Amino acid sequence: MKFSKLSLVENETANLLGLIIFLIVVTLYRAIALAAADLPLFFDEAYYFTWSQNLEFGYYSKPPLIAWVIAATTNLCGEGELCVRAPALLIHPCTAFGLFLIGCRLYGVKVGRLAAAIYITLPMISASSWIISTDVLLLFFWTYGLWFLIGALENTQWRNWLGFGVCLGMGLLSKYTMIVFALSLILYLIFSPIHREHLRHPKFYAALFLAILIFSPNIFWNIFHGWISLRHTADNAALDRPLFHPIKLLEFLGSQILIFSPVLSMILPAAMMRREELTRNKELTGTEVWRRGLLLALSLPLFVIITGEALMARSNANWAAPSYLCFTLLISAWFMCPKDQEKQEKMVAKKCRSHGHLLIAAFTLNILIAGLGYHHDALYRIMGTKPARHLDPYARLRGWRELADQVQKLRTRYPNTGIVGNDRILLAELGYYLQPRPWRIAAWNPLGEISDQYRLSADIRQRPKGDYLFVTRGIELESISATFTEAHDLGRIRIATHRDSVIECSVFWVRNFQGYRS
């Protein structure tokens, strides 16, 4: 008996070590492939980088944690693209390990290990690992918030409730979507006979208070800035526009099938409806009911909200990403077949074999999608051609280095100039790629509309007078010359990014802004 227990412990240790090695190998492969691909920063990444150069408790469209994290990693390893993106590479495997812990707690080691493996190979995670975004942090804190929540629901210890509160607060500092986690949990507790009693416990409210306390710097920042982030979120909802877009809904659902994997998307409805779940401990009564109910409660509301938003206005493909954490756990449990049933019933054995085939198909397709994405440029080089813009998944990353090189040549003729523009994409990319980085970046904003961080904090009216290079798309020299003491046209820059697409902009040299003219 002792030998049997020892063998079991050794087997579980080997499985855990195997999972850790698998996550490390996947992460190293992604880092090497990313370095080899040598992709410029996506404009949101460059935008967040400029935030990291001026740390605050909030920004126009997002809470501050993304800027803080980028500042930490770039201070440690430099300001190259790989260092800017390093948090995405490193945090996703930690999130996968969190799903392993949750799966172990709810269903057993096999389900936990499978959930981690599925998550780290999902197409959306393969893509997200190359792009630093607020979703990277949100998924991490959503996962560990769920881990602490399950512990709190099982044994109500203070450490679990406080851990949940910390994760909830940090998640809110990552992305405002985390509020859906809290609201979904409250609805779950209201309708759950097993856990409704937690609504009367002070520990639950202490956890919520701790989350609000952690999030409070951003609340105060918004108060002092006229709730600008809330107004931006309302604008994103676009509910003041026509409210029925079936084509947008179909596009959104199609994107969800792709980012979660076609095979897993096909299995998901069966996994969500399945009742004959595995039990981690046979003596636990009602466990099957609340496990499934909790996972559905923390996934379906967000998915339904975002799907409704897609029909009513628009939804980006990544907005429902946290739903797939619980979906992954449900699918992983669905794949597992109890051995005793497999021996006793031929029908169950046949079903389990079909599950295995589907699992192999899911992993194969996920890895194939990731490989095509990671080695997209190399494949086209082998074919000796370049893709059209609509066939290039990195289309919006192309051309910014070349554009910065052309602007840099103009800067050598006009040293000590700042950069001004009317396009946050141009300002963000030039703010990152120009070397040395311009000490003054200003936004051209004659209408006074606050539509991005530059217009919020870097309106040219708020910047020092002096010389600037005005880099713009869509503005002619005649329309701005009266607002400066001097203004000269330096010509147009045209960068071909694809055989059917170019980046074009005009560059003016301007001196001493005099104020907007009506």
Side-chain angles (χ1 to χ4, degrees):
M1 188 66 180
K2 289 182 179 180
F3 176 77
S4 177
K5 286 184 178 180
L6 181 61
S7 299
L8 181 61
V9 170
E10 290 176 347
N11 187 48
E12 290 183 354
T13 302
N15 288 333
L16 176 59
L17 183 60
L19 173 64
I20 292 173
I21 292 173
F22 174 71
L23 295 175
I24 291 173
V25 169
V26 169
T27 302
L28 286 175
Y29 161 68
R30 285 174 172 165
I32 293 170
L34 177 58
D38 193 30
L39 293 171
L41 291 187
F42 181 52
F43 62 79
D44 273 350
E45 296 179 290
Y47 192 39
Y48 299 149
F49 174 81
T50 61
W51 295 2
S52 74
Q53 305 301 290
N54 183 24
L55 296 181
E56 297 188 31
F57 287 118
Y59 299 92
Y60 166 74
S61 57
K62 298 289 191 298
L65 193 59
I66 183 72
W68 299 352
V69 168
I70 292 174
T73 56
T74 53
N75 282 329
L76 285 173
C77 74
E79 296 181 349
E81 290 105 330
L82 191 60
C83 289
V84 173
R85 291 166 169 153
L89 284 167
L90 299 175
I91 291 175
H92 277 308
C94 297
T95 304
F97 191 78
L99 285 179
F100 164 74
L101 296 175
I102 296 170
C104 290
R105 194 161 203 164
L106 291 180
Y107 300 102
V109 175
K110 286 187 177 181
V111 173
R113 194 168 64 244
L114 181 58
I118 288 176
Y119 172 85
I120 204 66
T121 57
L122 290 177
M124 71 174 183
I125 302 305
S126 294
S128 179
S129 295
W130 274 24
I131 302 289
I132 181 61
S133 70
T134 53
D135 287 325
V136 175
L137 303 171
L138 175 67
L139 293 173
F140 176 83
F141 288 112
W142 194 294
T143 297
Y144 284 93
L146 177 57
W147 159 249
F148 281 111
L149 174 63
I150 291 169
L153 295 178
E154 285 187 331
N155 55 40
T156 69
Q157 291 180 347
W158 270 109
R159 65 184 181 188
N160 287 319
W161 279 116
L162 295 180
F164 165 70
V166 169
C167 290
L168 182 59
M170 295 300 291
L172 288 168
L173 286 177
S174 304
K175 193 171 183 178
Y176 297 123
T177 306
M178 192 72 182
I179 191 66
V180 180
F181 187 112
L183 297 177
S184 299
L185 172 60
I186 291 171
L187 287 175
Y188 168 76
L189 294 177
I190 290 173
F191 291 103
S192 171
I194 299 174
H195 296 127
R196 190 178 299 136
E197 63 180 18
H198 289 288
L199 289 173
R200 299 190 295 270
H201 288 177
K203 295 176 184 178
F204 171 67
Y205 296 100
L208 294 183
F209 176 77
L210 178 59
I212 294 171
L213 187 65
I214 292 171
F215 182 53
S216 61
N218 186 248
I219 296 175
F220 287 113
W221 181 90
N222 269 284
I223 291 173
F224 291 126
H225 289 82
W227 296 102
I228 189 68
S229 296
L230 184 63
R231 300 209 312 264
H232 166 73
T233 303
D235 290 341
N236 267 349
L239 297 180
D240 57 337
R241 301 165 198 166
L243 299 180
F244 189 68
H245 303 274
I247 301 301
K248 293 291 184 183
L249 173 62
L250 293 177
E251 289 176 355
F252 172 75
L253 293 176
S255 71
Q256 300 310 290
I257 291 173
L258 179 61
I259 67 175
F260 190 58
S261 164
V263 175
L264 297 180
S265 297
M266 176 182 66
I267 295 168
L268 182 57
M272 293 169 63
M273 293 185 291
R274 182 188 183 193
R275 294 185 180 276
E276 62 279 8
E277 301 182 18
L278 300 177
T279 56
R280 175 169 52 91
N281 293 307
K282 297 291 185 180
E283 66 272 12
L284 292 178
T285 58
T287 306
E288 300 90 336
V289 176
W290 76 257
R291 282 185 317 200
R292 179 171 168 271
L294 179 65
L295 293 178
L296 290 176
L298 294 177
S299 54
L300 273 183
L302 176 62
F303 189 83
V304 170
I305 290 170
I306 301 303
T307 302
E309 175 70 8
L311 176 63
M312 302 295 284
R314 68 176 182 88
S315 290
N316 291 340
N318 64 301
W319 286 1
S323 296
Y324 292 107
L325 296 168
C326 293
F327 289 167
T328 296
L329 289 163
L330 289 167
I331 282 179
S332 300
W334 183 87
F335 272 120
M336 291 294 104
C337 292
K339 292 184 177 180
D340 57 343
Q341 291 186 23
E342 188 173 352
K343 291 179 180 178
Q344 294 173 12
E345 301 179 25
K346 291 183 178 180
M347 289 290 291
V348 174
K350 183 178 180 180
K351 183 179 178 182
C352 289
R353 284 195 295 272
S354 69
H355 285 193
H357 296 154
L358 285 171
L359 184 59
I360 292 172
F363 275 121
T364 301
L365 186 57
N366 287 356
I367 293 170
L368 179 61
I369 292 172
L372 290 174
Y374 289 164
H375 304 290
H376 171 273
D377 289 0
L379 291 173
Y380 272 94
R381 282 196 297 270
I382 292 172
M383 292 187 293
T385 184
K386 291 184 178 181
R389 180 181 173 84
H390 70 281
L391 295 176
D392 184 0
Y394 306 111
R396 292 192 291 176
L397 282 66
R398 310 291 189 187
W400 301 116
R401 288 190 192 126
E402 293 81 359
L403 175 66
D405 287 343
Q406 295 300 314
V407 175
Q408 186 68 38
K409 291 177 182 178
L410 296 175
R411 287 181 81 203
T412 61
R413 293 163 47 190
Y414 299 94
N416 300 318
T417 56
I419 298 293
V420 62
N422 64 328
D423 185 324
R424 78 171 177 97
I425 297 175
L426 287 175
L427 290 176
E429 295 287 0
L430 293 175
Y432 178 78
Y433 280 108
L434 289 178
Q435 297 294 333
R437 294 198 172 92
W439 65 278
R440 287 172 296 173
I441 295 180
W444 176 258
N445 187 24
L447 298 179
E449 296 177 346
I450 307 301
S451 56
D452 57 55
Q453 184 65 28
Y454 296 111
R455 286 179 169 84
L456 175 64
S457 61
D459 191 300
I460 193 170
R461 288 174 294 190
Q462 306 164 3
R463 312 307 270 177
K465 289 190 176 183
D467 298 350
Y468 288 87
L469 291 181
F470 197 136
V471 185
T472 176
R473 292 188 281 193
I475 293 181
E476 300 299 329
L477 180 62
E478 293 76 13
S479 63
I480 66 166
S481 58
T483 62
F484 297 93
T485 57
E486 293 184 63
H488 302 288
D489 191 343
L490 302 183
R492 294 182 65 81
I493 296 175
R494 190 175 187 275
I495 305 295
T497 60
H498 302 81
R499 61 173 183 260
D500 58 347
S501 180
V502 298
I503 297 174
E504 287 188 271
C505 63
S506 300
V507 184
F508 314 125
W509 176 86
V510 295
R511 168 171 287 172
N512 293 337
F513 177 72
Q514 300 297 301
Y516 296 115
R517 299 290 185 260
S518 58

